[in-house]
């Protein structure tokens, strides 16, 4: 095993091609982990664990027997502590890793449906915003939201403007919670979603916004939020929130988020060609 090799033998093996692959894989893993923990509550926790490891190394180096004995006993529980403290980050990493491993033939965007149905969502959101009626609409994409749907009231109804406005009417029992949309159907209403634990979020964001961010952090779903206090419309994707959208910008955000990878590449190609033609026209 490599751990049993001497330092000189280890350096000699670094010249082998498989060692270069080994180093590249370690670099990618470390880089991915750092990207995941950056800007989250995991960053200060990771710093604390690093300080703990440095203190243990110092105790061994300086032969501080009492400190080393105490820290060695604590090391037995470090593995469990890491799982408990970083469970949200570990779940997000596994979901992200699993989505990237899917083959193109397996990749499905179940949230994609005819563009006309987007108008139902946009029209409902703008109507609710005009009356400052709070709403949270979650659109399922490739990853299923069965667990979240099971926490609410099953509907399995055709998606329509009238249905969405009726659900979020404060006089109805289903208005409190999220609506989950799959394809062209409303799967469930009054659903409870996990709240984000991101400490960097603005204090102005209420429970609806934090729930929308939480579900988009844990899954690949996107969410539309209408604020009950301000009437502002927000769109959330991958934990990132865009606030103060009008009907045009909201529809564009939904369309872009639910496009397939091929459609996105085609759109980028067409946009690049249009920019190139505009530059040629100006230079001519």
């Amino acid at each position: 095993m490599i751990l049993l090799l001497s330092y000189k033998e280890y350096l000699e093996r670094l010249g082998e091609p498989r060692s270069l692959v080994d180093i590249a894989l370690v670099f990618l893993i470390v880089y991915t982990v750092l990207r995941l923990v950056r800007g989250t509550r995991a960053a200060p926790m990771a710093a604390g664990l690093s300080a703990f490891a440095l203190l243990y190394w110092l105790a061994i180096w300086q032969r501080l027997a009492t400190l080393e004995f105490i820290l060695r006993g604590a090391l037995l529980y470090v593995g469990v502590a890491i799982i408990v403290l970083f469970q949200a980050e570990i779940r997000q990493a596994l979901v992200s890793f699993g989505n990237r491993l899917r083959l193109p033939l397996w990749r499905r965007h179940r949230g994609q449906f005819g563009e006309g149905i987007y108008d139902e969502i946009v029209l409902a959101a703008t109507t609710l915003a005009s009356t400052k009626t709070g709403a949270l609409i979650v659109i399922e994409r490739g990853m299923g939201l069965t667990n979240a749907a099971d926490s609410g009231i099953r509907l399995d109804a055709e998606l329509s403007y009238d249905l969405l406005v009726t659900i979020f009417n404060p006089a109805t029992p289903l208005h409190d919670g999220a609506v989950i949309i799959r394809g062209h159907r409303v799967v469930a209403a009054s659903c409870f979603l996990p709240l984000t634990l991101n400490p960097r979020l603005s204090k102005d964001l209420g429970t609806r916004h934090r729930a929308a961010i939480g579900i988009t952090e844990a899954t690949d779903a996107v969410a539309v939020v209408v604020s009950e206090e301000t009437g502002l419309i927000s769109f959330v994707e991958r934990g990132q929130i865009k606030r103060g959208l009008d009907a045009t910008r909201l529809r564009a955000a939904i369309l872009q988020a639910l496009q397939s990878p091929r459609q996105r590449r085609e759109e980028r190609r067409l946009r690049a060609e249009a920019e190139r033609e505009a530059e040629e026209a100006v230079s001519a």
Side-chain angles (χ1 to χ4, degrees):
M1 294 177 61
I2 193 83
L3 294 175
L4 301 178
L5 294 176
S6 65
Y7 185 71
K8 182 179 180 180
E9 291 174 332
Y10 176 70
L11 291 179
E12 291 176 352
R13 285 201 175 187
L14 289 180
E16 299 178 2
R18 62 179 179 180
S19 297
L20 298 179
V21 175
D22 185 21
I23 294 173
L25 290 175
V26 172
F27 173 80
L28 288 175
I29 292 173
V30 173
Y31 176 74
T32 303
V33 170
L34 291 178
R35 285 194 61 185
L36 287 172
V37 303
R38 184 184 62 180
T40 67
R41 65 190 183 100
M45 292 181 184
L49 290 175
S50 300
F52 179 85
L54 180 62
L55 186 61
Y56 180 67
W57 174 81
L58 182 63
I60 296 176
W61 182 43
Q62 295 294 329
R63 297 182 180 179
L64 304 176
T66 304
L67 181 60
E68 179 185 351
F69 174 77
I70 295 175
L71 294 179
R72 188 188 300 118
L75 283 176
L76 298 175
Y77 306 98
V78 169
V80 177
I82 290 176
I83 295 176
V84 173
L85 294 175
F86 298 104
Q87 55 179 328
E89 286 75 16
I90 293 173
R91 182 175 62 249
Q92 183 179 359
L94 292 176
V95 169
S96 176
F97 185 66
N99 286 335
R100 292 179 182 179
L101 280 182
R102 291 180 181 178
L103 295 176
L105 293 177
W106 295 352
R107 188 171 297 169
R108 297 186 304 167
H109 290 266
R110 288 175 293 183
Q112 295 179 11
F113 35 90
E115 292 187 7
I117 206 69
Y118 297 120
D119 296 330
E120 303 291 325
I121 300 175
V122 173
L123 183 58
T126 53
T127 300
L128 294 169
S130 65
T131 58
K132 291 187 177 182
T133 302
L136 174 52
I137 303 171
V138 179
I139 306 174
E140 182 182 283
R141 293 203 288 183
M143 188 176 179
L145 299 177
T146 303
N147 290 338
D150 289 341
S151 67
I153 306 300
R154 284 278 182 172
L155 296 180
D156 192 23
E158 189 75 20
L159 173 62
S160 67
Y161 159 81
D162 295 320
L163 178 59
L164 291 177
V165 172
T166 301
I167 289 175
F168 290 111
N169 188 329
T172 63
L174 297 180
H175 77 281
D176 191 16
V179 162
I180 295 179
I181 294 175
R182 177 185 300 153
H184 56 85
R185 304 191 70 80
V186 176
V187 179
S190 191
C191 300
F192 294 97
L193 305 179
L195 301 181
T196 180
L197 299 176
N198 189 349
R200 301 176 61 185
L201 291 178
S202 171
K203 302 298 181 182
D204 297 334
L205 297 178
T207 304
R208 282 192 182 88
H209 294 84
R210 292 181 181 274
I213 296 173
I215 192 64
T216 58
E217 287 176 339
T219 69
D220 65 345
V222 295
V224 177
V225 188
V226 179
S227 173
E228 187 175 358
E229 290 76 19
T230 63
L232 294 177
I233 301 175
S234 303
F235 182 79
V236 188
E237 181 182 11
R238 297 179 181 175
Q240 303 297 318
I241 184 170
K242 300 176 182 178
R243 306 185 67 186
L245 303 181
D246 56 16
T248 302
R249 294 167 61 194
L250 175 61
R251 189 176 190 276
I254 296 175
L255 283 172
Q256 184 178 5
L258 298 184
Q259 284 179 336
S260 66
R262 186 182 65 178
Q263 290 173 325
R264 293 186 181 184
R265 289 193 297 268
E266 182 66 17
E267 183 177 345
R268 285 196 296 266
R269 185 184 64 82
L270 294 175
R271 189 183 300 117
E273 291 180 356
E275 292 176 354
R276 186 169 58 253
E277 291 175 358
E279 291 176 357
E280 293 175 352
V282 171
S283 60

